């Protein structure tokens, strides 16, 4: 593959590793260790065995007949919602816990927003018998209580974070602070394609199993191994990175990403970082950031807790800037509508994050033969209350 992170961890202008001095050594150790580990036969064998027998991979590539008719294309859904723990996040946590073990670490820390990454991390820590500490904004602890209970049942300690807005961004800062205090025994298990180099590259490589499978599944189903268009939602960017990974250099494939517009990109209530962000440094990487004129991070706003991040993975900042990715902002009401639409037309309740990707279908035009692959990043069980209480929002698009 031609498109790669450079030696210093940059994707064009974006990326790098901007960390406090005390973390230099552990970040460098990880930079040196990750490729040899990922490329070793031992790792590959354990990773793929767990993906198959524990996560339930390959995830199906499902031909959505009714939705295809409605949108005038051949629409295939990549069903990450069917994975163990209900989303794509588990692919990454399985890979990184194996890496932490190889590096001799005994204590795992993680940040979480909606709690999906926290649950996926607590799950693999139980599996591998590792100590697990999860940092989560106090606001999110209250909003996402079931996931907090799941983490506790799995044996993790959940630390409510009371600094800043008490959401994901503050949880990341607190995890980095903890890492500074325990650099030797602790592995920071980052949940998306963000953070200092090498994390964006590690997480993209762990999630690349998604496009690896899409290739052979398309070959079987449509007789060629590439689609005309790929669609995914983007928060930090991990399910999107996995979906596009093996197609980035393939110009035949159009790439469309959906970010969370919240109330709209022209309001103060948005999480559309690629549309509204400016260049800055966030959680150890140079990227696009929602920030005030004097560089204070601005709170992100969206109905979707999993897309609620004021930054974006550096790889996507670069690919979007060069026009390789088309990025569409999807507002809350459009996502709610799209969530109901998939539920009623195909019997699949998608995560509200994934509903942002589905809402992009209405904004695109296709030729009838076009093969479109859309990643359903997670299942919507956690969002049923949100869908029900915001049903009226979707009225102007149609009735359910
Ligand atoms: C966390 C999450 C996302 C957003 O994270 P990415 O790293 O951008 O993929 C999207 N969908 C679901 C279901 C999630 O849990």
């Amino acid at each position: 593959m031609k498109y790669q992170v450079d030696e210093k961890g940059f994707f064009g202008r974006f990326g790098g590793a901007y960390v406090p001095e005390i973390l230099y050594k552990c970040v460098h150790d990880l930079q040196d260790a990750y490729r040899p580990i990922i490329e070793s036969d031992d790792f590959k064998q354990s990773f793929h065995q767990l993906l198959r027998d524990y996560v339930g991979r390959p995830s199906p590539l499902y031909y959505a007949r009714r939705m295809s008719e409605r949108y005038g294309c051949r629409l295939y859904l990549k069903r990450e919602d069917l994975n163990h723990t209900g989303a794509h996040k588990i692919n990454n946590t399985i890979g990184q816990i194996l890496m932490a073990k190889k590096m001799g670490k005994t204590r795992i820390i993680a940040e979480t927003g909606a709690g999906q990454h926290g649950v996926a991390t607590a799950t693999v820590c139980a599996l591998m018998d590792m100590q697990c500490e999860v940092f989560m904004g106090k606001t999110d602890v209250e909003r996402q209580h079931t996931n907090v209970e799941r983490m506790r049942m799995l044996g993790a300690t959940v630390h409510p974070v009371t600094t800043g807005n008490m959401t994901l961004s503050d949880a990341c800062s607190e995890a980095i602070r903890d890492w500074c205090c325990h650099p030797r025994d602790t592995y920071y298990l980052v949940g998306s394609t963000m953070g200092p180099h090498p994390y964006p590259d590690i997480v993209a490589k762990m999630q690349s199993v998604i496009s690896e499978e899409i290739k052979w599944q398309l070959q079987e189903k449509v007789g060629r191994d590439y689609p005309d268009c790929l669609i995914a939602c983007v928060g930090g960017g991990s399910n999107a990175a996995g979906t596009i990974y093996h197609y980035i250099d393939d110009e035949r494939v159009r790439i469309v990403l959906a970010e969370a517009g919240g109330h709209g990109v022209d309001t103060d209530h948005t999480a559309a970082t690629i549309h509204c962000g400016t260049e800055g440094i966030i959680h150890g990487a140079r990227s696009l950031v929602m920030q005030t004129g004097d560089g204070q991070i601005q709170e992100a706003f969206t109905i979707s807790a999993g897309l609620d991040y004021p930054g974006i993975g550096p790889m996507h900042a670069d690919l979007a800037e060069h026009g390789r990715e088309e990025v569409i902002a999807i507002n809350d009401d459009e996502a709610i509508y799209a969530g109901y639409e998939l539920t009623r037309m195909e019997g699949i309740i998608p995560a509200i994050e994934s509903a942002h990707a589905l809402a992009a279908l209405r904004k695109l035009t296709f030729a009838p033969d076009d093969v479109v692959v859309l990643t359903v990043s997670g299942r919507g069980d956690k969002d049923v209350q949100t869908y029900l209480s915001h049903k009226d929002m979707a009225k102007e698009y149609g009735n359910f």
Side-chain angles (χ1 to χ4, degrees):
M1 198 174 81
K2 283 208 306 272
Y3 187 81
Q4 278 292 347
V5 67
D6 75 13
E7 298 273 276
K8 294 213 160 77
F10 283 88
F11 303 86
R13 274 204 324 286
F14 302 108
Y18 300 83
V19 294
E21 204 170 315
I22 189 150
L23 292 180
Y24 277 14
K25 185 173 168 357
C26 43
V27 168
H28 275 281
D29 287 349
L30 189 59
Q31 289 172 357
D32 291 340
Y34 85 103
R35 278 184 219 233
I37 292 178
I38 292 177
E39 283 157 20
S40 70
D41 288 339
D42 191 27
F43 173 87
K44 282 187 194 158
Q45 212 222 328
S46 316
F47 186 49
H48 287 288
Q49 186 172 357
L50 284 168
L51 289 182
R52 188 186 65 223
D53 299 338
Y54 188 72
V55 175
R57 302 201 73 91
S59 66
L61 186 69
Y62 165 70
Y63 176 64
R65 188 182 56 80
R66 293 185 64 202
M67 290 281 282
S68 292
E69 279 166 18
R70 172 166 290 192
Y71 288 104
C73 65
R74 292 187 277 167
L75 176 67
Y76 289 86
L77 302 177
K78 184 60 174 158
R79 300 289 309 276
E80 294 300 302
D81 58 311
L82 294 177
N83 294 339
H84 179 44
T85 69
H88 65 291
K89 296 254 168 42
I90 191 86
N91 304 326
N92 170 49
T93 58
I94 293 269
Q96 285 198 60
I97 199 88
L98 291 171
M99 190 173 294
K101 272 213 129 144
K102 269 261 180 309
M103 294 180 72
K105 304 288 181 176
T106 53
R107 178 174 176 271
I108 302 294
I109 57 170
E111 83 295 338
T112 195
Q116 294 297 105
H117 175 57
V119 168
T121 304
T123 300
V124 296
C125 286
L127 179 69
M128 298 290 175
D129 192 19
M130 296 265 235
Q131 184 187 342
C132 181
E133 317 260 346
V134 178
F135 296 89
M136 185 172 187
K138 187 162 166 281
T139 312
D140 290 331
V141 169
E142 286 155 14
R143 288 199 286 205
Q144 309 287 335
H145 208 66
T146 348
N147 277 341
V148 176
E149 317 264 72
R150 287 167 85 192
M151 288 183 256
R152 291 191 171 136
M153 182 163 174
L154 286 157
T157 307
V158 179
H159 300 277
V161 174
T162 54
T163 52
N165 299 311
M166 309 190 208
T167 56
L168 176 60
S169 181
D170 312 294
C172 293
S173 306
E174 199 58 35
I176 293 172
R177 248 170 249 136
D178 177 284
W179 199 21
C180 289
C181 301
H182 309 89
R184 287 163 67 94
D185 64 337
T186 296
Y187 182 90
Y188 180 15
L189 208 162
V190 174
S192 188
T193 42
M194 43 159 283
H197 175 62
Y199 283 108
D201 194 35
I202 291 178
V203 179
K205 284 186 159 64
M206 300 307 180
Q207 294 292 359
S208 70
V209 64
I210 299 174
S211 50
E212 200 179 300
E213 290 173 3
I214 292 173
K215 281 201 137 177
W216 63 259
Q217 288 173 319
L218 277 180
Q219 185 67 49
E220 274 182 21
K221 286 178 200 290
V222 304
R224 58 169 152 104
D225 71 356
Y226 66 97
D228 297 291
C229 181
L230 285 168
I231 306 176
C233 66
V234 58
S238 70
N239 88 88
T243 302
I244 69 171
Y245 195 86
H246 291 287
Y247 294 110
I248 296 174
D249 298 330
D250 188 342
E251 296 290 338
R252 296 170 299 188
V253 182
R254 179 179 181 190
I255 296 174
V256 177
L257 302 187
E259 62 175 355
H263 290 175
V265 293
D266 47 2
T267 70
D268 287 340
H269 290 78
T270 183
T273 314
I274 298 177
H275 280 86
C276 304
T278 52
E279 204 172 318
I281 293 182
I282 184 165
H283 301 126
R286 176 173 295 278
S287 190
L288 296 172
V289 186
M290 311 255 289
Q291 55 188 333
T292 60
D294 49 2
Q296 292 298 315
I297 289 174
Q298 248 167 351
E299 190 176 12
F301 181 93
T302 150
I303 196 164
S304 152
L307 302 179
D308 199 355
Y309 185 61
I312 174 74
M315 168 182 161
H316 297 296
D318 181 54
L319 289 169
E321 184 175 81
H322 290 97
R324 181 65 187 101
E325 294 175 344
E326 296 164 50
V327 182
I328 302 178
I330 299 296
N331 294 349
D332 292 349
D333 55 349
E334 299 170 311
I336 293 282
Y337 173 81
Y340 272 96
E341 183 181 56
L342 188 72
T343 302
R344 296 295 171 89
M345 294 193 66
E346 300 286 348
I348 298 168
I349 303 177
I352 186 79
E353 293 83 7
S354 319
H356 286 71
L358 290 155
L361 289 168
R362 290 170 64 87
K363 311 212 163 190
L364 302 170
T365 46
F366 302 109
D369 272 348
D370 279 356
V371 173
V372 178
V373 173
L374 185 151
T375 296
V376 179
S377 53
R379 66 178 183 226
D381 305 36
K382 66 185 179 56
D383 301 313
V384 169
Q385 209 47 57
T386 307
Y387 282 127
L388 290 175
S389 55
H390 292 88
K391 192 170 175 192
D392 278 356
M393 257 191 188
K395 265 207 313 262
E396 65 175 286
Y397 302 106
N399 281 319
F400 289 108

